[in-house]
Amino acid sequence: GQQVMQIPQYQHVQEGEDFTTYCNSSTTLSNIQWYKQRPGGHPVFLIQLVKSGEVKKQKRLTFQFGEAKKNSSLHITATQTTDVGTYFCAGPLTGGGNKLTFGTGTQLKVEL
Amino acid sequence: DGGITQSPKYLFRKEGQNVTLSCEQNLNHDAMYWYRQDPGQGLRLIYYSQIVNDFQKGDIAEGYSVSREKKESFPLTVTSAQKNPTAFYLCASSTGGTSYQPQHFGDGTRLSIL
C-alpha cells in the first residue's frame, strides 16, 4: 500500500543550528501538507504545497515539494527552543478522497 | 471560538469493557476523522466520515466502532475486541470534499488499561 516515510526519525540539535526533515512517498502526490506536534499536544497544520518544485517560506521555515511530487522537505534555519516537537508530512491516499496518509514523523529536540 | 473538543482528556478501561471517546466540532466541517497515535509513532487512521450518517473504515478499524448521527459529533467506541487499546486518540475535522483541505485536530484523549 501507499507509504509515506520520513527521515530522520529523531534529530537533536544545538540552538542556532539548522535542521532538515525529508518526506518520501511511494506514489506521486497531488499535494503535501506539513504539521507540527508539540510534546503532549496535537498536530497543527503548517502549510500545503501543490505545485511541482514549489518552495514556500514561513519565517525561518522553508518547505519544498519535489519536481516529481514524490518527496518534500522542511528546513529550519537557526533553530530555537520553540521549534521543539514532531514534524509530520501528510499526503492524500490514492483514490482516497479527502483522506491523508501521515508520515512517520521527525522528532526535533533543541538543546541550549 | 471555533474548534474541536475531545473528552475526556484521560480515560481508563477495564478488561472486557467498552469505552466511548467524545469528539465535537463547531467548525461546520463535513468530514471528521479518528486517528490512533502510539508513543513515538505517526498517526494511523481508524475511521473517517465525509458526511452525516456515513462513515468508512480506515487502516486499523478492527476493535473500534463509530457513529455520525449529527454533523458536529463523531464519537469513537473502543470495544473489548481491541486487545491493545492503550494509545493517544486524536479526532480531526476538515471541510471535506478533497484532500486539499487541512485537518484541524482536537487535544486528544489518552486511553490506558487498568
Side-chain angles (χ1 to χ4, degrees):
Chain A
Q2 182 176 359
Q3 291 187 337
V4 179
M5 304 297 294
Q6 282 183 253
I7 54 171
Q9 188 174 5
Y10 303 99
Q11 185 80 60
H12 290 208
V13 300
Q14 296 288 322
E15 188 177 42
E17 291 182 339
D18 291 356
F19 159 78
T20 304
T21 173
Y22 299 91
C23 176
N24 295 289
S25 170
S26 58
T27 60
T28 301
L29 302 171
S30 59
N31 65 86
I32 195 157
Q33 298 177 12
W34 284 91
Y35 292 77
K36 176 183 178 181
Q37 184 177 22
R38 293 182 184 274
H42 60 270
V44 174
F45 173 77
L46 294 176
I47 208 162
Q48 176 175 256
L49 305 170
V50 178
K51 299 176 183 177
S52 170
E54 187 171 15
V55 178
K56 286 189 176 180
K57 292 190 176 184
Q58 286 181 349
K59 296 183 181 179
R60 294 177 295 103
L61 278 61
T62 301
F63 304 84
Q64 194 163 9
F65 202 9
E67 293 291 340
K69 301 183 77 172
K70 294 181 71 174
N71 57 73
S72 181
S73 64
L74 159 59
H75 179 81
I76 302 178
T77 303
T79 54
Q80 300 175 359
T81 54
T82 53
D83 296 324
V84 166
T86 301
Y87 293 85
F88 293 99
C89 62
L93 286 172
T94 304
N98 52 359
K99 289 190 300 179
L100 294 175
T101 296
F102 280 80
T104 46
T106 296
Q107 184 178 346
L108 173 64
K109 292 190 176 181
V110 180
E111 299 173 354
L112 291 172
Chain B
D1 285 341
I4 300 178
T5 302
Q6 289 187 242
S7 62
K9 192 169 184 176
Y10 299 94
L11 186 58
F12 298 92
R13 196 192 88 170
K14 295 179 181 179
E15 290 287 341
Q17 186 181 43
N18 293 353
V19 291
T20 297
L21 284 59
S22 171
C23 178
E24 303 277 332
Q25 56 100 358
N26 60 6
L27 298 168
N28 199 33
H29 285 171
D30 287 313
M32 296 187 75
Y33 315 82
W34 274 106
Y35 294 92
R36 170 178 171 143
Q37 186 175 35
D38 292 283
Q41 303 296 314
L43 283 67
R44 293 185 290 169
L45 184 65
I46 305 173
Y47 268 97
Y48 68 104
S49 168
Q50 300 193 65
I51 198 167
V52 176
N53 293 321
D54 185 52
F55 51 83
Q56 285 83 40
K57 293 181 179 179
D59 301 320
I60 55 166
E62 187 175 350
Y64 300 97
S65 66
V66 293
S67 63
R68 185 87 187 275
E69 297 175 1
K70 297 187 298 182
K71 187 175 184 178
E72 312 83 56
S73 179
F74 191 40
L76 173 74
T77 296
V78 183
T79 74
S80 57
Q82 174 49 246
K83 299 306 179 186
N84 183 23
T86 297
F88 187 42
Y89 292 86
L90 287 158
C91 178
S93 71
S94 71
T95 55
T98 72
S99 65
Y100 292 85
Q101 305 303 322
Q103 295 188 8
H104 301 258
F105 287 82
D107 288 339
T109 293
R110 295 191 183 277
L111 176 62
S112 301
I113 295 180
L114 279 178

